[in-house]
Every structure is written in structure tokens, then in C-alpha cells.
Amino acid sequence: DMKRFALHNRVAIEQAPLQVYYSALFFTPIMSIVRRHFRDKMPQWIKRGPEVETDWSATLQILEGHSSSVRAVAFSSDGKQLVSGSDDKTVRVWDAATGATLQILEGHSSYVNAVTFS
């Protein structure tokens, strides 16, 4: 549950960690263990919070960055990175744990239909 909380609120935690109690907890699903555990830390002056899901989505992480369809994905042998090829003619290397883009490879003359690690 904590991993989902951290991934779901990664940007807010990185940019404004003190906002976790004031914002991240309010946008966490109602049945989240983290939300229930820290319920008493949520400010009482907020009378009506946003409508949120009851439970976490099955989605652990969304990798955003390609501007067109992704045609191929491969994980590194250690599972720490993944690479994706897209119709936007780029290849992106991602950190599998955080979802951060590590590198963008540009210059392909057409769609990228296959990727692999060597």
C-alpha cells in the first residue's frame, strides 16, 4: 500500500513534501492503509475532500512521455530499466522503479517497431 501511495503521489512528494498531509492523503483511496493510518494528520479545516476511489487501481504505474503509440517494450536483464519504442520515432529508457525517463533516443527516420537490451 505504501509503494502505491508513493508512486501515485511521487511528483507531489518530490516537489512539495510538506503537502503530503494536505493533498496526497486526500487523493488516496478511502480504503488505503496509508490513508487510514494517517487519517488524524489530515487537516480538519478541509470540510469536503475530493471524491476518490474506494481501492487502488490495478495499475501500478503509468509511464508518460511518448507522443504516439508505443510499439515495443523490453526490460533489462536485471529488471531495473525498461526501453520503449514508439510511432513518434523515439526510443525511451525508463527507470522501472520510479517511472522516470532516463534517456530519449531520437533521430530514427521511421516508427520504432522493436527494442531490446544487449
Side-chain angles (χ1 to χ4, degrees), residues 4-81:
R4 285 181 179 266
F5 177 81
L7 288 172
H8 185 74
N9 297 291
R10 180 176 63 94
V11 174
I13 292 168
E14 289 174 352
Q15 294 179 2
L18 297 178
Q19 291 295 318
V20 172
Y21 295 131
Y22 291 111
S23 59
L25 286 172
F26 279 103
F27 291 97
T28 300
I30 307 251
M31 297 306 294
S32 164
I33 296 168
V34 173
R35 182 179 176 129
R36 288 185 288 151
H37 183 78
F38 291 103
R39 181 176 291 136
D40 63 325
K41 304 293 186 210
M42 296 168 73
Q44 299 303 310
W45 56 267
I46 298 177
K47 299 298 180 198
R48 181 177 173 181
E51 291 185 24
V52 295
E53 310 86 24
T54 302
D55 291 303
W56 291 109
S57 161
T59 304
L60 288 177
Q61 197 171 45
I62 297 173
L63 305 177
E64 296 180 300
H66 284 294
S67 61
S68 193
S69 299
V70 173
R71 298 288 181 170
V73 176
F75 278 90
S76 62
S77 60
D78 63 4
K80 293 182 179 181
Q81 296 178 350

